[in-house]
Amino acid sequence: MTSEDLSGMGPLVARLGRVGQRLRHADRARPWVLDTAVVVLVFLLFCLPDLLHAVGGDGDGDGPRRFRMVFTRLPVAGMLVLQAGLVLPLLWRRRAPAVAFGAVTAVFVLQWSLGAVLRADVALFVALYSLALHGRLRQLPWACAGMAGALGLVAARASAAVSVWDALFFLLSTATAALALGLMIRIRRAQLAGLRDRAARLEVERDQRGRLAVAAERARVAREMHDIVGHNLSVIITLADAGAYASDAAPERGKEALHLIGDTGRQALSELRRVLGVLREADGPRAEPELSPQPGLADIDALCEGVRAAGLEVVYRTAGHVDVLDSGVQLTVYRIVQEALTNTLKHAGAGARATLAIVVEDTRLTITVQDSGPPAPAVGPGTANEEGHGLVGMRERAALYGGHITAGPAGPGWTVRAALDLAPQGGAAG
């Protein structure tokens, strides 16, 4: 068969598949229709010929003479009763397969005990097939044993006409084929049901992974916004307080503070636009947003300059190979330093002094931010030891690289230490 022939069969296979699907839906809606159709089909193919022969007076006259001598000729009424006992239980072959098989087997044994032969005996194999397909598997051994006994009776009755072993071979082969067909279809249906169940579970898992990814992205955006807004607002507030204080004594310093407030606000607005840009859905053609790269260690100098402009003296030093760190580690370090300096500016206030050290030793990175404490007892409503969302965010960022954060008082000031593990472990970006 050529590829053209196979391609031509595609629409036919699809059409047959649609027809089969419609038939399955109809069967689920009205199962009695198929059961009745099976009974009618068995009657027309196997019962009606025996009745026509009996009514016509031929009986088994068309068979060999030795068969006519061995088997009993039944009257039409008796034949109808036995045929009904063999065929009618097939109406329950799917709802109660074990009961249907038992009833058919009992009538089958009764018929052969009387020495009669009927074409309707095919109902026994249909009942066995139905039991293998729809019944409980633990019932099959008992059914097979009953089937073997009934077929043994048939072979014994027919021994005068054919060999017992030939009869048993034919009958048992037919029973095995019916049993194997039922089991094969049952296994196939179980496999398809398993595949459908697996597909449903995979779809649920996919949706769950999607929701977890959305939650993780929201948490990341929330951390970014907290760092951006918290740091820049702290700088703006400090500059505004300093400008208000200096507006009378040194107006030029007040004007400088206003310029710094504007620059800090514009920087914060630009970073917020960059972070919130990932949450916008594409709603048609538009100009590409102006994006800037995620901050790294090279931007810590500018961060320190902004904090110094707000009045906090910062001493910054590094040790080790800090330039070879990947972008994810650099972003984590930058955000931790930003949050620590923001807390120092918030709690220690202008006029304090902070020391920032970033040290890389083999696979370990250490960040230390230590301040001298507020220059006066009262610098604002915050207290140096309060633990807010900023410290929690720093701990979450450090945990991405197997690290930890410690924070606590050190003399009159406050110290934050962060340790990150740089060993390859599928790290994370900010």
Side-chain angles (χ1 to χ4, degrees), residues 185-231:
I185 297 178
R186 184 188 189 119
I187 293 173
R188 179 60 177 169
R189 288 182 179 178
Q191 289 176 341
L192 292 177
L195 290 176
R196 286 192 293 267
D197 182 65
R198 176 176 173 79
R201 289 200 309 270
L202 289 176
E203 185 175 358
V204 172
E205 291 176 2
R206 182 198 62 192
D207 295 340
Q208 290 176 344
R209 286 195 299 269
R211 287 193 292 268
L212 290 175
V214 170
E217 182 64 15
R218 287 178 177 174
R220 186 190 70 82
V221 172
R223 289 197 303 267
E224 292 288 327
M225 292 186 64
H226 174 272
D227 294 336
I228 294 170
V229 175
H231 170 73

Side-chain angles (χ1 to χ4, degrees), residues 226 230 234 238 339 341-349 379-382 386:
H226 174 272
S234 296
T238 304
E339 183 62 32
L341 292 179
T342 300
N343 290 339
T344 299
L345 184 62
K346 184 188 303 182
H347 300 298
V379 288
E386 73 175 284

Side-chain angles (χ1 to χ4, degrees), residues 304-353:
C304 293
E305 287 298 328
V307 175
R308 291 188 188 104
L312 178 65
E313 181 183 354
V314 180
V315 178
Y316 170 44
R317 67 179 182 86
T318 61
H321 301 287
V322 297
D323 296 332
V324 299
L325 299 176
D326 63 66
S327 59
V329 176
Q330 291 195 33
L331 176 60
T332 298
V333 172
Y334 180 89
R335 292 307 187 195
I336 291 176
V337 171
Q338 183 185 51
E339 183 62 32
L341 292 179
T342 300
N343 290 339
T344 299
L345 184 62
K346 184 188 303 182
H347 300 298
R353 186 175 186 272

Side-chain angles (χ1 to χ4, degrees), residues 139-195:
Q139 296 172 340
L140 283 180
W142 300 101
C144 291
M147 186 80 169
L151 296 182
L153 175 62
V154 175
R157 279 290 187 176
S159 60
V162 296
S163 169
V164 174
W165 298 111
D166 290 343
L168 280 177
F169 175 78
F170 173 76
L171 294 172
L172 292 178
S173 297
T174 306
T176 302
L179 181 66
L181 181 62
L183 290 176
M184 182 186 69
I185 297 178
R186 184 188 189 119
I187 293 173
R188 179 60 177 169
R189 288 182 179 178
Q191 289 176 341
L192 292 177
L195 290 176

Side-chain angles (χ1 to χ4, degrees), residues 36-47:
T36 304
V38 169
V39 171
V40 172
L41 184 63
V42 171
F43 175 80
L44 293 177
L45 293 179
F46 301 101
C47 297

